[in-house]
Amino acid sequence: MHNHLRNKYLRQLKDIILISCGIVSACFGLKSFLMPSGFIDGGVTGISLLIRTLTGWELSYLIAVINIPFVILGYRQIGKTFAVKTAFAIAILATSLHFLPFQPITHDKLLIAFFGGLFLGGGIGLAMRGGCVIDGTEVLALYISKNSMLTVGNIILILNILIFSVAAMFLGMETAMYAILTYLSASKTVDFVVNGLEQYIGVTIISESGEEIKQFLINDMKRGVTVYKGEGGYGKQKDIDILYTVLTKLEIGKLQTEIRHIDPDAFVVQQQISDLKGGVVKRQSLH
């Protein structure tokens, strides 16, 4: 019981540190890069920046007010803890934008777009690692995707196309194009922060030489293998073993080379895995 409470408090402390670092990073990206040049990003933050640029209203108030519906959606779609953490994080971000004395770093537009997106995306990613969001776009996309045929990715794309189109009409095509660069920089940084440098690939293998491939994975690559019992559905039906393993992205080439050597006709399916807990692959990567 003592260890359970200790682990719980450590997780909460870790979340607080991640969210705090995320808020500082996002605030730095906004105040030192995007805001002084009138640049915008995608998502809810982009909408707030766009309205600020067009009206001159205070960004801290806009971010707090515009995100309120998304906090409510987060409560309904994800849960109370997520909504409370998100509300506090957005409130602290809005306060930080008002009080933290970050100054402009550069006037080079390309650097502003790249590093503004880098620090803003890093902040959003760190907040997500801490269990909340400081930009409600994903919450809105999740809600719409559950009530339509569109995917989360499609909804975010459509929303950002609308934002950049409005930016092109009111701020000019050049500003809109820089906004797209900012968004690309931010989104890639979010992916990197959330998924990490080591991306994992799930590999499914069906082969007549399954036992030999399994031994290679266990003995040479030091990876765990799960064996499913299956039945061929094409042509003559027969029992087959289906191998499943998880590797890091850097190890895929080695496995593919060996499979081609053992059985050039093997059927191989690869799937990207965004997160992984436990197992042989995780222990091996930590070493």
Side-chain angles (χ1 to χ4, degrees):
M1 185 68 180
H2 176 73
N3 287 335
H4 175 72
L5 286 174
R6 179 174 173 271
N7 291 334
K8 179 182 176 182
Y9 290 135
L10 285 174
R11 283 196 302 271
Q12 290 176 344
L13 177 62
K14 178 185 174 184
D15 289 348
I16 291 170
I17 292 172
L18 286 170
I19 293 169
S20 300
C21 291
I23 289 169
V24 172
S25 178
C27 187
F28 179 64
L30 289 167
K31 293 197 72 174
S32 294
F33 293 96
L34 302 182
M35 289 171 62
S37 303
F39 278 20
I40 68 168
D41 183 30
V44 176
T45 305
I47 295 171
S48 304
L49 285 165
L50 181 60
I51 294 174
R52 171 191 175 271
T53 304
L54 293 174
T55 64
W57 295 347
E58 185 71 36
L59 181 65
S60 56
Y61 300 142
L62 288 169
I63 282 181
V65 171
I66 293 174
N67 272 295
I68 288 174
F70 304 107
V71 173
I72 296 170
L73 273 180
Y75 176 78
R76 293 177 178 175
Q77 293 294 311
I78 301 172
K80 180 180 178 181
T81 302
F82 171 84
V84 170
K85 289 168 76 172
T86 295
F88 273 111
I90 290 170
I92 295 170
L93 174 62
T95 305
S96 300
L97 285 169
H98 195 73
F99 290 106
L100 287 182
F102 289 129
Q103 299 300 316
I105 301 295
T106 179
H107 297 290
D108 185 289
K109 292 182 177 180
L110 192 59
L111 292 177
I112 290 169
F114 177 78
F115 283 100
L118 181 74
F119 285 105
L120 179 58
I124 293 171
L126 287 170
M128 290 172 70
R129 291 288 296 268
C132 69
V133 294
I134 53 177
D135 184 298
T137 311
E138 283 78 11
V139 177
L140 174 64
L142 180 64
Y143 173 76
I144 296 175
S145 68
K146 287 185 176 180
N147 296 279
S148 72
M149 296 179 63
L150 295 172
T151 65
V152 172
N154 289 335
I155 294 160
I156 292 174
L157 177 63
I158 292 168
L159 175 64
N160 287 323
I161 288 173
L162 292 172
I163 293 170
F164 298 141
S165 298
V166 173
M169 285 188 291
F170 290 98
L171 304 179
M173 185 60 71
E174 185 181 88
T175 300
M177 289 191 291
Y178 277 116
I180 294 171
L181 286 179
T182 303
Y183 169 71
L184 291 174
S185 174
S187 62
K188 290 298 180 184
T189 306
V190 170
D191 289 342
F192 177 79
V193 172
V194 173
N195 297 327
L197 179 63
E198 263 191 331
Q199 293 192 349
Y200 298 97
I201 306 293
V203 185
T204 302
I205 306 163
I206 302 175
S207 169
E208 298 283 350
S209 306
E211 182 62 29
E212 190 175 348
I213 296 173
K214 183 179 79 170
Q215 293 305 319
F216 171 77
L217 284 164
I218 295 171
N219 298 323
D220 293 77
M221 301 198 72
K222 309 298 182 186
R223 295 305 184 204
V225 181
T226 300
V227 181
Y228 297 98
K229 299 298 181 181
E231 182 181 280
Y234 181 77
K236 185 180 178 181
Q237 293 187 351
K238 58 180 178 179
D239 294 337
I240 54 173
D241 287 343
I242 303 168
L243 307 181
Y244 181 80
T245 188
V246 177
L247 307 172
T248 62
K249 208 169 185 179
L250 299 176
E251 295 171 310
I252 287 297
K254 181 179 179 181
L255 176 61
Q256 288 175 336
T257 300
E258 188 63 24
I259 290 175
R260 283 195 297 268
H261 175 70
I262 295 172
D263 181 8
D265 297 323
F267 181 71
V268 182
V269 179
Q270 296 177 194
Q271 297 169 300
Q272 186 168 309
I273 298 172
S274 60
D275 197 13
L276 187 70
K277 294 287 186 291
V280 175
V281 65
K282 195 69 173 177
R283 293 199 298 271
Q284 291 291 340
S285 347
L286 291 174
H287 295 315

